[in-house]
Amino acid sequence: MSGEDLLRARGLRVTRPRLAVLEVLEQSRGHLDVEQIAARVRSRLDTVSTQAVYDVLSALSRAGLARRIEPAGSPARYESRVGDNHHHVVCRGCGEIADVDCAVGEAPCLTPSQAHGFVLDEAEVTFWGLCPACQLKRAEEMAQ
């Protein structure tokens, strides 16, 4: 489905900034912060403000076309992988983020000890550790 079709299917107006942000998220296949997204969008469009990018990301997130994650101590990041209840692993050294598929498969994929009357539809888990590059760097520092 094209970006235009995706926007229309979610009841959003088709605009150049929305199409550009969708394209950036889809092509990156990563977890980009607003500044990274804005820089890539500006390479596609003549001009776009950072505030416009924030507004587009907010609309896309509300419409389920983008996902916002907020690892502790890091700016919000956005990705195009939505609707599958996956989780994330974050490197404490460099901040790299990778997707971790849900082990159970069905949302919310985890059962809390107490739901407090809520109807649960999603679980968000962040795993923390050191990526392979930071592990190597730490081992080299320890050897010195």
Side-chain angles (χ1 to χ4, degrees):
M1 189 178 282
S2 74
E4 291 178 10
D5 292 338
L6 286 171
L7 291 170
R8 286 187 183 111
R10 300 299 173 103
L12 295 175
R13 203 170 27 120
V14 176
T15 65
R16 290 181 63 216
R18 286 179 177 169
L19 290 171
V21 170
L22 272 176
E23 186 177 295
V24 165
L25 290 175
E26 186 60 37
Q27 289 178 352
S28 74
R29 294 284 184 196
H31 306 87
L32 303 176
D33 65 31
V34 173
E35 293 301 325
Q36 293 168 316
I37 295 167
R40 294 178 188 190
V41 167
R42 286 185 190 109
S43 73
R44 291 168 166 75
L45 303 178
D46 295 333
T47 182
V48 66
S49 70
T50 302
Q51 184 59 51
V53 173
Y54 272 108
D55 294 344
V56 167
L57 288 166
S58 178
L60 296 178
S61 295
R62 283 191 314 271
L65 294 173
R67 182 174 179 190
R68 176 186 170 122
I69 62 168
E70 297 182 65
S74 174
R77 305 291 181 96
Y78 294 85
E79 64 180 334
S80 63
R81 187 175 171 186
V82 296
D84 65 353
N85 200 51
H86 71 279
H87 307 297
H88 297 95
V89 60
V90 181
C91 179
R92 290 185 190 279
C94 66
E96 178 182 341
I97 301 172
D99 292 335
V100 177
D101 289 328
C102 185
V104 175
E106 292 181 27
C109 89
L110 299 171
T111 304
S113 60
Q114 177 59 262
H116 300 283
F118 285 68
V119 174
L120 303 176
D121 60 11
E122 184 177 5
E124 186 172 313
V125 175
T126 303
F127 298 96
W128 295 87
L130 288 177
C131 70
C134 287
Q135 290 174 53
L136 181 59
K137 183 178 176 182
R138 180 176 277 179
E140 290 170 350
E141 290 171 353
M142 299 292 271
Q144 292 179 357

